Amino acid sequence: SMLVRPTEKDREVQCHASAFDFYNNDTFRIKMCTEVNMNYFQTIHHEMGHIEYFMAYRHRPTVYREGANGGFHEAIGDTIALSVRSRKHLQTLGLLEDANVSDEEKKKSDINYLMNQALLKLAFLPFGYLVDKWRWRVFSGEITPDKYNEEWWKMRLEYQGVTSPVPRTNADFDPGAKFHVAANSQYIIYFASFLLQFQFYESMCQASGHTGPLYTCDFYRSKEAGEKLLNMLKLGGSKHWKEALKQMTGDTYIRTEPFKKYFQPLIDFLMNENKGDVGWAKAGINWERA
């Protein structure tokens, strides 16, 4: 594996984090250039999720050596990261100290933590959805080449509420700045994974015997939680994804309730802080309908 940028000046490397299964049953590698910060702490767990999945289903025939669906593969490492980023786990590792910190300060810290998580997880969902929606409209011919950029920014505004900081025209091709567009790689798997990971996380937390707010759960060293995850990983692509999901969570469909449950303390705080006007509420958007 390559975990740090090589020091050789005459060697060019691609640092975009990736994980690889060499299909020989004992070789699995990660390629990335890590730095010591929280972002890479998250990323390395994401990539290790791929590796653990590879290792779990390596006994399967080659045709089944894949995730139950693409969203599963992207969700596994992030599920683990939800646990390792928790206050409890960071304290276990000695990366966070709570000595002489008041309950009020802890509460503020937790709200800040959830806000940061929301900026990573919640804010991603509309973008994760629109990338492939734009691509599919291109593939169907609904969006023609002379409208590529115009329709891209219409969708960015509709789903994300953002516009370009500088004027753009159809002479530009801003969607191509996204790797997955240029590389013709499906993106809906990330949208699915950002919902699945909270579903997996809740299930593992329940198996570990966790009590209290969902976001505080750390299933570190829980054999019950680990066994539940491993049994699902071993299936690879040998079962329909709904069967794999049922084995893991008891559900046969993707649920959004665990996502909302995780962020409920932040939702309550923002509703109180903003007197009920959260996000685009002032624009008249019906979030329950949306």
Side-chain angles (χ1 to χ4, degrees):
S1 291
M2 181 186 79
L3 299 179
V4 296
R5 183 184 293 274
T7 56
E8 298 92 334
K9 293 183 179 181
D10 60 343
R11 181 182 175 191
E12 291 292 331
V13 299
Q14 170 54 261
C15 282
H16 184 81
S18 303
F20 302 89
D21 181 355
F22 282 70
Y23 288 87
N24 63 358
N25 295 327
D26 64 1
T27 305
F28 313 91
R29 297 179 183 174
I30 289 175
K31 169 192 65 65
M32 61 185 294
C33 303
T34 55
E35 298 175 17
V36 182
N37 59 44
M38 186 57 77
N39 286 338
Y40 282 104
F41 186 64
Q42 164 95 18
T43 302
I44 193 63
H45 283 89
H46 177 91
E47 299 306 327
M48 277 301 301
H50 289 302
I51 299 296
E52 294 292 341
Y53 214 162
F54 295 152
M55 294 175 69
Y57 60 54
R58 61 183 169 183
H59 64 289
R60 297 285 180 184
T62 302
V63 68
Y64 296 134
R65 290 179 64 165
E66 60 182 9
N69 67 33
F72 275 60
H73 233 304
E74 299 302 330
I76 301 305
D78 283 0
T79 300
I80 306 302
L82 287 173
S83 179
V84 302
R85 287 175 66 104
S86 68
R87 174 190 295 275
K88 181 179 177 182
H89 193 76
L90 294 177
Q91 289 174 331
T92 299
L93 298 180
L95 295 177
L96 183 66
E97 296 182 2
D98 264 356
N100 301 319
V101 178
S102 68
D103 290 342
E104 186 63 26
E105 287 298 317
K106 288 181 181 179
K107 184 177 179 180
K108 290 181 179 180
S109 176
D110 283 354
I111 290 297
N112 285 336
Y113 167 71
L114 284 174
M115 186 66 179
N116 183 66
Q117 285 287 76
L119 291 171
L120 292 171
K121 304 293 184 179
L122 179 60
F124 170 82
L125 288 176
F127 182 74
Y129 174 75
L130 75 85
V131 172
D132 265 7
K133 189 174 178 70
W134 178 88
R135 292 174 66 241
W136 297 335
R137 291 178 66 201
V138 168
F139 295 153
S140 72
E142 181 183 350
I143 299 179
T144 54
D146 62 316
K147 297 291 185 180
Y148 280 169
N149 218 50
E150 177 183 340
E151 291 299 318
W152 171 259
W153 282 108
K154 280 184 179 179
M155 294 177 70
R156 294 291 300 275
L157 177 59
E158 178 183 359
Y159 293 107
Q160 288 186 281
V162 300
T163 59
S164 172
V166 295
R168 311 302 291 162
T169 71
N170 282 313
D172 304 304
F173 183 55
D174 296 317
K178 181 62 181 172
F179 170 83
H180 298 75
V181 172
N184 190 31
S185 178
Q186 63 176 342
Y187 207 68
I188 198 66
I189 60 175
Y190 299 99
F191 175 81
S193 78
F194 271 52
L195 298 176
L196 283 167
Q197 63 189 251
F198 288 90
Q199 212 167 340
F200 294 161
Y201 179 64
E202 181 185 51
S203 179
M204 293 181 70
C205 289
Q206 291 171 347
S208 71
H210 170 74
T211 58
L214 183 58
Y215 75 92
T216 64
C217 169
D218 175 27
F219 44 66
Y220 181 52
R221 290 183 173 173
S222 169
K223 292 185 178 181
E224 294 78 11
E227 184 177 4
K228 178 180 281 285
L229 177 63
L230 183 59
N231 288 337
M232 189 270 284
L233 297 183
K234 286 180 177 179
L235 295 175
S238 66
K239 299 289 185 180
H240 190 277
W241 70 266
K242 288 191 174 183
E243 292 185 54
L245 181 62
K246 185 174 183 179
Q247 178 172 311
M248 177 71 178
T249 68
D251 299 312
T252 56
Y253 57 94
I254 298 175
R255 294 168 52 247
T256 57
E257 287 82 1
F259 192 104
K260 185 176 180 182
K261 183 178 179 181
Y262 182 92
F263 288 108
Q264 192 61 53
L266 177 64
I267 295 172
D268 295 340
F269 170 82
L270 290 175
M271 291 295 288
N272 180 66
E273 187 76 9
N274 295 289
K275 305 300 186 292
D277 288 335
V278 178
W280 288 347
K282 292 181 180 179
I285 292 176
N286 186 331
W287 282 103
E288 292 300 323
R289 181 174 58 81

